[in-house]
Amino acid sequence: DKSLVEQAIINLMLNAIDAVDNVSKPKIIINVILSEENRTIVTIEDNGKGIPAEDLENIFVPFYTTKRSGSGIGLSMTRQIMFLHKGNISVKSESGFGTKFILSF
């Protein structure tokens, strides 16, 4: 479902925009490649505040949020969309240095 995948990517982009809100030189990089295994890989990377290690294990849990105005459903919904499309989502983050989400289809 193209619109669901679009919603997942929009959610990750909005999170990246939020993450770079107070960064002096904000940067968001979106990259799309076709892997050697013929899989589409989409990465969304920012140089924002990063996700603390203690929060990383919970970010895909429904209703878990560290944001004041967040509902905690965005990343869990994104993960579910990826699974429904036989895809995968992973994250690499370092507190203070940024975050990279990797979607593979």
Side-chain angles (χ1 to χ4, degrees):
D1 185 336
K2 184 178 175 179
S3 64
L4 283 178
V5 172
E6 184 177 284
Q7 184 60 48
I9 292 171
I10 288 170
N11 180 60
L12 294 174
M13 290 173 57
L14 291 173
N15 284 352
I17 291 168
D18 186 52
V20 298
D21 188 37
N22 292 319
V23 174
S24 62
K25 293 182 180 182
K27 180 171 48 171
I28 298 171
I29 300 169
I30 301 166
N31 193 19
V32 181
I33 63 166
L34 188 61
S35 74
E36 292 177 9
E37 297 83 24
N38 209 29
R39 295 188 66 133
T40 301
I41 309 293
V42 179
T43 59
I44 300 171
E45 182 174 6
D46 66 66
N47 67 336
K49 53 193 164 221
I51 302 168
E54 59 272 11
D55 292 327
L56 262 179
E57 64 187 51
N58 296 312
I59 62 170
F60 295 112
V61 174
F63 306 110
Y64 179 84
T65 185
T66 59
K67 298 179 184 179
R68 291 182 192 167
S69 62
S71 64
I73 59 169
L75 287 176
S76 66
M77 178 192 70
T78 298
R79 184 180 193 194
Q80 187 64 26
I81 290 169
M82 292 304 296
F83 287 151
L84 288 171
H85 290 83
K86 296 181 173 63
N88 189 32
I89 181 170
S90 60
V91 60
K92 295 178 182 178
S93 187
E94 188 174 346
S95 192
F97 293 97
T99 302
K100 181 178 189 177
F101 281 93
I102 303 125
L103 307 175
S104 62
F105 299 89

